[in-house]
Amino acid sequence: MEKLQTSRKRRKKLNKMGKLTIGLLIALTMISTLFLTEHFASKNVDAEKKEAQVQQTVKQTSKSAKKTEKDNVEAAIQPKSVDPKKEETKVDTGKTEEVTKKKEAEETNKSQKAKTPPAKGKVVYLTFDDGPSTTASRKILNLLDKYDAKATFFMLEPNMRKNKDIVIEMAEKGHTLGVHGVTHEVSKIYQSPKSFVGEMNQAISYIEDVTGIRTHLVRAPYGSRPYVTSAFKQAADKEEFILWDWNIDTVDWKQTGGGFVDAAIRQTMQLDGKEPLVVLMHEKDTTAAHLERLLKYYKDNGYDMRALNESMQPIQFK
Ligand SMILES: [Zn+2]
């Protein structure tokens, strides 16, 4: 009997222990499952984060690579702006800010290129109005050749019709062709913005017909002041005319004895280095007769005599 009781007690004890062990095991399993799940979950988050970072880096790299490529292309076009050391630093540090700044600077350069101011200092722009002239133009052209000079001619349509060969010769020699209208009469050309634009377009078309060059360079008869008012300017802008005035007035139409040369030299010395030099003269016999002295002065004093071009910011009376 005693033995039986003892064995029963023992069995009870064993049962209790077994239950406890199972309980403990379950608890352990649950805890470890929870722990593992969390661990893997956080690992997944980490992995996602890492992947996202990698993707971003790839994106940035390809972006900067593209930018570098673009910069290189632009640099190839504008060799002056290339500084290899600077270029390397930018790519290494990957400072997008610097790249942006460079882009802005390039944009500014481009817009400045679109309309460059006329050169100051040792450059002079000779301009001749009212031609061509059957008697004066050839002499002027020969003198320009002799002094390795280029000039700009603002011409009247009827005079061009009379001297078609001269117009073609001017273009072939690399001078710049511009227009000055048809009538040169205040009561006609300045009658309305429409008449002003119409006269200029008639002359522009003639030049295009005989040379194939479509010019936009226009000189208003007597200059843009006082006749070219804002209504005229608006009409001219619409036609994309580039209106050129001058800052050296030789008054060669009046100073027929060569005094205009001294006037030009005097004004050149006054303006030198302060403003780009644009000289007004006319295709006249008396101008042609004394022109060589002026060309010699500019040549001897190191001036480059150039023709105007359409990318320059024009001088205009205010
Ligand atoms: Zn004129």
Side-chain angles (χ1 to χ4, degrees), residues 57-278:
T57 319
V58 169
K59 263 189 195 170
Q60 276 174 349
T61 318
S62 68
K63 251 190 193 173
S64 71
K66 267 183 196 165
K67 271 191 178 169
T68 316
E69 206 179 298
K70 220 185 163 195
D71 283 349
N72 283 341
V73 171
E74 280 168 0
I77 297 165
Q78 290 176 289
K80 267 185 195 168
S81 68
V82 191
D83 189 340
K85 272 182 196 168
K86 273 187 185 172
E87 203 72 23
E88 267 171 39
T89 331
K90 267 172 213 159
V91 175
D92 284 347
T93 52
K95 276 182 191 167
T96 44
E97 211 178 297
E98 268 184 50
V99 176
T100 319
K101 267 185 191 169
K102 206 200 163 198
K103 283 252 169 279
E104 278 168 10
E106 275 170 4
E107 288 301 312
T108 319
N109 277 344
K110 271 179 199 164
S111 63
Q112 277 172 350
K113 256 196 170 180
K115 275 276 182 279
T116 51
K120 287 181 189 176
K122 294 293 183 183
V123 179
V124 64
Y125 300 93
L126 305 176
T127 68
F128 295 89
D129 288 7
D130 298 358
S133 152
T134 315
T135 50
S137 292
R138 282 248 152 67
K139 197 171 181 197
I140 292 170
L141 287 173
N142 290 339
L143 282 172
L144 292 173
D145 281 351
K146 187 178 170 185
Y147 287 88
D148 202 19
K150 295 283 180 263
T152 305
F153 297 91
F154 292 102
M155 299 177 283
L156 294 165
E157 193 251 12
N159 288 348
M160 288 195 280
R161 282 192 186 279
K162 274 184 243 163
N163 302 284
K164 182 181 158 186
D165 292 348
I166 294 172
V167 177
I168 293 164
E169 193 183 324
M170 287 169 172
E172 282 172 352
K173 285 187 166 170
H175 301 295
T176 295
L177 311 187
V179 296
H180 199 43
V182 179
T183 65
H184 211 288
E185 283 179 42
V186 172
S187 62
K188 287 177 182 163
I189 190 166
Y190 294 121
Q191 198 178 33
S192 69
K194 203 184 160 192
S195 59
F196 176 74
V197 161
E199 282 203 18
M200 294 308 175
N201 276 332
Q202 193 177 319
I204 286 168
S205 294
Y206 183 80
I207 291 177
E208 193 173 19
D209 286 348
V210 298
T211 67
I213 298 164
R214 183 151 186 98
T215 186
H216 296 85
L217 302 180
V218 169
R219 176 163 282 154
Y222 312 102
S224 65
R225 203 177 47 197
Y227 300 111
V228 183
T229 60
S230 62
F232 283 81
K233 253 188 189 138
Q234 270 182 18
D237 284 347
K238 231 179 168 182
E239 300 292 321
E240 295 181 346
F241 291 167
I242 304 164
L243 289 175
W244 272 96
D245 288 319
W246 57 86
N247 51 20
I248 293 182
D249 192 354
T250 61
V251 205
D252 63 331
W253 55 273
K254 203 163 82 182
Q255 302 206 56
T256 53
F260 77 90
V261 174
D262 303 303
I265 292 168
R266 198 170 52 243
Q267 289 173 58
T268 297
M269 291 196 290
Q270 282 168 357
L271 288 175
D272 200 10
K274 293 181 201 118
E275 278 185 61
L277 308 173
V278 180

Side-chain angles (χ1 to χ4, degrees), residues 15-27:
N15 269 349
K16 252 191 181 174
M17 275 174 76
K19 274 178 190 169
L20 256 167
T21 318
I22 288 163
L24 265 168
L25 271 169
I26 291 167

